[in-house]
Amino acid sequence: MKRKDLLGLRDVSRDEILEILETASRFREVSKRRIKKVPTLRGRTVVTLFFENSTRTKVSFDLAAKRLSADGVHISAGTSAVKKGETLMDTARNIDAMAPDLVIMRHSCAGAPHMLARNFDFSVINAGDGINEHPTQALLDMLTMQDHLGDLEGKTVAIVGDVYHSRVARSNLYGLRTMGARVLLAGPGTMCRPEMAGPGVEVRHKIDEVLEEADVVMMLRIQRERLPRAMLPTSREYAHLYGLDSAKLARASDRVLVMHPGPINRGVELSPEVADGERSVIMEQVTNGVAVRMALLFLLLGGSDDASA
Ligand code: NCD
C-alpha cells in the first residue's frame, strides 16, 4: 500500500480494501499463538492520541502494536497538557519532536486527524473523528461480513439507528459502496436523513422495512453526546420502534448476521437475547479488530515482507 495515512474509506480503492482484509486474515494467526508476538515492527514507535473515550478501539490498537513488537505510547486528553489549555497543533508539534512513526488519533472534531496528516511526516490513522469517519471499524466490519458471506458484491447490509451521527455508519457506507454491496438505512427521521440516500444506498426509516432483505443488520447506538437534548427520544420509545429483539429478528432470514460496533446500550437498540444470540457476530468483530489494525500498522509502516514471520 502506497499511502502515508488512513483517514477515511471515502477515497480508498477496492484493491486497497482487499489488500488490507487479506493482510488482516494472515495476521489473525498470531493472536492464536501462545506467544502472541512477531518482530515485524520492532523499533517503530506508535502513539495513540485519544481526545474521546474508548475501550475497544484503544485496547485493539494497543494490542495490535504490541503483537507486531512496535513500541506504543498512549496519551489521553484527560491526563495530558490539553487540560492546561495547549492547542492541538502544539500537542502534535511536541509529539512530532519525539520522532514517532505513526499516530493514531481519536477526536470529537471532524477533520482533526487530517490536520495532523497534512502537517507532519508521521503516518496518521483516524480512530474516529466526530461524526465523520472511523475507517478501521468499517474494515473490521467488512472482514467479519466477508468471513460469513464471501464476496460483498450484491450483498445487502441494513444499518439501523442513529446513522446520521455515526462515523461507523459513514465509513461503512463508503467502504460497502466501493465493494459493491447494497446498503439500506433505517432510523428516526432526525438520525437517518433522506439526503443520505445515493447510488447503492436507500433510506427506508422503519426497521421492518429493511429486515427481510438483509444479509447483515448493523445496529447502532444513539450518539447522545452528539445530539441536542431536545432530539433525544426516550429509551422505551426508541427500543419499541427501532430496537432489535427476537420478535423483530424473526422477520429476517435465519442466516442474517447481527452486528454492533459497541458499546451496546442493552435493551435500547439491541435486546440482550439478540446481542448474545446465535446470529450475533459482535465478538467476532472485536477479535477481527486486532487483526485489521495489525494489518494497517504493517501496511502503513512498510514492515518486513513476511507478514507473520
Ligand atoms: C464507536 C465509536 O466510537 O465511533 N465505537 C467503536 O469505536 N467501536 C461507536 C459508538 O461510540 O457508538
Side-chain angles (χ1 to χ4, degrees):
M1 206 163 70
K2 296 248 171 338
R3 55 178 64 238
K4 170 170 110 44
D5 313 294
L6 180 74
L7 303 173
L9 291 191
R10 192 177 197 155
D11 65 341
V12 176
S13 69
R14 182 184 161 84
D15 282 350
E16 283 177 296
I17 292 178
L18 288 173
E19 183 185 12
I20 296 164
L21 299 185
E22 252 167 56
T23 310
S25 287
R26 283 191 283 139
F27 275 128
R28 283 200 264 228
E29 173 265 326
V30 176
S31 296
K32 293 185 186 137
R33 299 185 192 178
R34 199 170 74 84
I35 296 174
K36 300 174 181 59
K37 212 174 186 58
V38 289
T40 318
L41 294 182
R42 196 160 50 197
R44 311 303 297 276
T45 308
V46 173
V47 176
T48 46
L49 179 58
F50 275 40
F51 293 86
E52 270 189 0
N53 296 341
S54 167
T55 310
R56 265 159 300 275
T57 307
K58 183 193 163 303
V59 173
S60 185
F61 270 115
D62 281 353
L63 288 178
K66 284 190 197 313
R67 288 179 188 174
L68 292 174
S69 304
D71 295 313
V73 184
H74 180 68
I75 306 165
S76 79
T79 54
S80 71
V82 173
K83 281 270 178 231
K84 302 180 191 168
E86 188 173 58
T87 65
L88 176 57
M89 226 17 218
D90 279 335
T91 305
R93 271 192 206 106
N94 280 273
I95 293 171
D96 184 51
M98 294 183 250
D101 295 295
L102 186 144
V103 174
I104 297 152
M105 187 197 214
R106 169 168 285 198
H107 201 284
S108 58
C109 291
H114 305 64
M115 186 190 83
L116 238 60
R118 262 196 313 275
N119 286 288
F120 298 98
D121 289 336
F122 52 72
S123 288
V124 178
I125 297 180
N126 179 3
D129 64 326
I131 67 163
N132 183 37
E133 283 224 43
H134 190 354
T136 59
Q137 178 69 40
L139 288 163
L140 72 89
D141 292 339
M142 289 193 282
L143 180 61
T144 310
M145 293 178 208
Q146 209 186 58
D147 284 344
H148 291 270
L149 305 171
D151 189 354
L152 299 181
E153 175 101 43
K155 300 295 187 304
T156 300
V157 180
I159 308 183
V160 180
D162 187 2
V163 183
Y164 185 77
H165 301 99
S166 171
R167 51 202 181 196
V168 175
R170 213 156 265 108
S171 286
N172 267 290
L173 280 172
Y174 295 134
L176 289 167
R177 181 177 65 191
T178 303
M179 301 310 282
R182 173 173 166 246
V183 180
L184 304 179
L185 304 178
T190 49
M191 301 177 188
C192 183
R193 305 193 183 169
E195 65 265 26
M196 300 191 86
V201 183
E202 293 167 45
V203 176
R204 297 269 180 93
H205 295 301
K206 289 204 179 122
I207 185 168
D208 289 346
E209 294 174 274
V210 298
L211 284 176
E212 275 170 25
E213 293 166 57
D215 296 297
V216 177
V217 188
M218 184 183 295
M219 301 302 297
L220 298 174
R221 177 179 74 87
I222 301 175
Q223 300 284 302
R224 293 183 177 274
E225 65 276 34
R226 304 186 210 285
L227 276 165
R229 279 190 92 175
M231 273 170 71
L232 288 174
T234 68
S235 296
R236 262 186 71 192
E237 179 188 18
Y238 185 87
H240 176 65
L241 290 171
Y242 302 103
L244 186 60
D245 59 13
S246 307
K248 289 194 196 126
L249 191 62
R251 294 172 193 260
S253 142
D254 53 13
R255 299 176 60 182
V256 73
L257 305 177
V258 175
M259 301 180 70
H260 193 300
I264 300 172
N265 287 155
R266 282 177 181 259
V268 185
E269 69 271 15
L270 265 185
S271 71
E273 72 273 13
V274 174
D276 308 326
E278 59 163 10
R279 301 316 314 152
S280 167
V281 293
I282 297 170
M283 289 306 125
E284 289 175 36
Q285 290 174 261
V286 178
T287 303
N288 284 336
V290 178
V292 159
R293 289 168 178 128
M294 287 172 81
L296 285 164
L297 295 177
F298 169 76
L299 291 168
L300 293 175
L301 289 176
S304 73
D305 279 348
D306 183 3
S308 54

